[in-house]
Amino acid sequence: MLAIVLLLALPFCNAESASSYAGSTVVDSYPPPGATNTAVDTYFPDASQVGYAGPTPTGAEPAAIVTAVPFSKVEGVFPLSRPNSADGADTTFNVMRHWGNFAPMYSVESFGLPDASPVIPEGCGLNAVHLLMRHGARYPAPDEPGPSQFAAEIHAATSKKALSVTGDLEFLATWTYKLATTILTPFGRESMFSNGVAFRYRYGELLNAFTDHLPVFRTTSIDRMVDAALTFAAGFFDVRTYKTDYHQEIIIQDNNFNNTLAPCEACPNANSEDIGNFGDTQSSKWADIYLQDARRRLQPMIKGVNLTIPLLVSMQELCALETVALGYSKFCDLFTEEEWEGYEYYADLDFWYTCGPGNPTGAAQGLGYVQELVSRLTHTPINVWNSSTNGTLDSSNITFPLDQPIYVDFTHGVGIASVVTALNFTSLAATGPLPTDHIPPHRSYISSQIAPFSSQLVAQVLSCPASEEPTHIRFLLNDAVVPLTGIHGCTEDSNGLCALPSFISGMHERIGQIDFAHDCFANYTMPNPNNITNGRYPS
């Protein structure tokens, strides 16, 4: 018995006593107070005042999405440090790609069309492009309290002089919480800028079709959404001229304001405890399974804090959120590859059952954007207001033009997930519903491939063969072509093409199937999730 007692005590023989500030929150502010001095500013005139710019002739607009073979993929995360897992001997395992909606966007290999390239098919012409994009990497949102709660637990134990750590958790003795709230991280800003540059390379030639007005891009009023839009525009246009190169529409995002880029604000059931939080309910069931080994392994390394399953999830979230905010996190290599695969599936469950095919409001939330897409494709104003569309803004040809060759809208991760559900991309839901007790093999719904930071849904409007009149449409989700066989009238095609009239007809049918009033406002409890794979309340 004595030997057993000594063995249990052994991990703390060389335990690290916590500093007095462990777990506390650190906040920095820049620029420093009083640093702005208009008298000093006069010594630093801008380029227009200095002059002597040298030659500035412009060249032709690029069109890499038409001509670039091979296609340039998004693969790196510079300047972030790529983390390892606890058993990180396998250098091919990419921890970052298992962060679910916290993963940086990467080029997906395939959604079922392995031979399809993002470059438009040979012989086709590019007529227009529609981009729906999620903002870049951000700090934790108010509805993601886990990381700050973990810090509070550490600091509370420190304050009571009860915290003692050893082994892999020894760093917690001096660890502090450095994350802001909801705004873009530096990496998030860099991603938006570089994606703006990339979009100009791919689709810049379409700017030549603007003859008598400037493009209108849209975003919401939330701080990170405005920054995402402006930083993208600075990359797409020019750092010094972008403010006059286009019009930035900022749509109010708040409760009871209609906004297709933040549709959950107009859908009460999407925010209810029962229906809106069902993703949390389902993912928590899985967390109780996949994190048991981690709990047994890590708990002996810390005294003063009970590592509950929710706290372990928070530690995995801290790995992702610290990395995209600070460039590196010691939380990452606390978990094995299997536990990171478990976390990815945790995020998949959350999205599937919150705003995806497994929630009865999923399609209703994405309905408004689909109606706007059809309006743009048909050049026909919206005249039925039965979703999250904004009747004031969408009724105006100034704030909602219908003749642009380039459309750019910025949304949230849940926005991307709900729109692909409303579009009825059935290939993404093919292996649903998702179980909560195991990871199904070869699953089709992976949140890091659908709604990562800087996620991009692109509709390419094409003419095949090339002409001035568009004949076809296809969709890219994070650079992978999406099959459109779930849309009535769209047939199998190796390049993901659907005849434009067939797509529009299929969308009219899909719009008619989605009951926004019922799914968002009716008084009902969460249906059996095994009966939902299309984002609608079961018939």
Side-chain angles (χ1 to χ4, degrees), residues 38-316:
T38 53
V40 172
D41 290 344
T42 60
Y43 286 85
F44 303 96
D46 64 26
S48 64
Q49 295 170 298
V50 173
Y52 299 94
T56 58
T58 59
E61 287 289 350
I65 204 67
V66 180
T67 59
V69 179
F71 179 78
S72 179
K73 296 181 179 181
V74 179
E75 296 177 318
V77 289
F78 178 83
L80 306 183
S81 295
R82 178 172 161 175
N84 294 318
S85 61
D87 49 354
D90 182 5
T91 56
T92 63
F93 184 86
N94 192 333
V95 172
M96 287 183 168
R97 294 191 179 184
H98 294 78
W99 288 347
N101 57 304
F102 292 153
M105 178 266 176
Y106 61 92
S107 294
V108 176
E109 286 298 322
S110 173
F111 285 115
L113 296 173
D115 296 327
S117 167
V119 178
I120 67 170
E122 187 176 354
C124 295
L126 177 67
N127 297 72
V129 64
H130 301 249
L131 171 64
L132 180 65
M133 185 172 184
R134 186 190 179 193
H135 56 76
R138 56 159 173 79
Y139 296 96
D143 61 352
E144 297 161 348
S148 62
Q149 287 177 353
F150 175 82
E153 291 281 346
I154 296 295
H155 193 55
T158 300
S159 300
K160 299 174 185 176
K161 300 187 183 304
L163 183 66
S164 182
V165 288
T166 189
D168 292 341
L169 296 185
E170 193 172 307
F171 75 94
L172 291 175
T174 56
W175 173 78
T176 55
Y177 185 72
K178 300 179 178 67
L179 302 182
T181 303
T182 72
I183 62 176
L184 292 183
T185 70
F187 176 71
R189 296 195 300 271
E190 186 275 337
S191 174
M192 296 309 297
F193 183 86
S194 61
N195 274 290
V197 173
F199 200 69
R200 182 67 172 258
Y201 271 107
R202 294 174 180 178
Y203 299 99
E205 190 176 49
L206 290 173
L207 286 171
N208 293 325
F210 287 93
T211 56
D212 58 359
H213 65 279
L214 296 175
V216 174
F217 294 176
R218 304 187 305 167
T219 191
T220 85
S221 61
I222 298 298
D223 183 89
R224 67 181 179 274
M225 299 298 297
V226 175
D227 275 357
L230 297 180
T231 309
F232 178 94
F236 182 74
F237 293 107
D238 183 273
V239 170
R240 285 192 289 165
T241 66
Y242 76 92
K243 291 183 179 179
T244 57
D245 286 343
Y246 81 118
H247 298 297
Q248 183 60 65
E249 183 174 348
I250 301 173
I251 307 172
I252 294 173
Q253 178 179 336
D254 204 356
N255 289 336
N256 302 318
F257 280 88
N258 276 25
N259 184 340
T260 59
L261 307 180
C264 62
E265 307 287 359
C267 182
N269 283 341
N271 300 289
S272 70
E273 189 68 27
D274 177 30
I275 301 164
N277 289 334
F278 193 65
D280 290 337
T281 301
Q282 297 295 83
S283 60
S284 294
K285 295 175 184 176
W286 169 239
D288 286 337
I289 296 172
Y290 86 87
L291 283 172
Q292 289 298 333
D293 285 347
R295 186 180 188 185
R296 284 188 288 267
R297 186 176 67 253
L298 297 174
Q299 185 63 73
M301 301 179 191
I302 183 169
K303 282 185 177 179
V305 173
N306 178 22
L307 290 183
T308 63
I309 296 299
L311 282 182
L312 288 167
V313 171
S314 299
M315 292 167 72
Q316 290 191 290

Side-chain angles (χ1 to χ4, degrees), residues 359-446:
N359 189 285
T361 69
Q365 290 185 63
L367 173 62
Y369 180 83
V370 173
Q371 290 173 316
E372 290 177 334
L373 175 65
V374 171
S375 175
R376 289 165 165 175
L377 291 173
T378 60
H379 310 290
T380 304
I382 298 171
N383 55 24
V384 176
W385 309 102
N386 60 353
S387 67
S388 60
T389 49
N390 188 305
T392 301
L393 297 175
D394 285 4
S395 293
S396 168
N397 60 5
I398 296 176
T399 51
F400 190 69
L402 300 175
D403 57 350
Q404 296 190 163
I406 300 175
Y407 295 93
V408 177
D409 296 316
F410 297 93
T411 185
H412 302 271
V414 294
I416 296 282
S418 63
V419 166
V420 298
T421 301
L423 286 167
N424 209 29
F425 289 169
T426 53
S427 63
L428 301 180
T431 58
L434 301 186
T436 58
D437 59 354
H438 69 280
I439 302 176
H442 313 299
R443 69 189 186 281
S444 57
Y445 195 88
I446 301 175

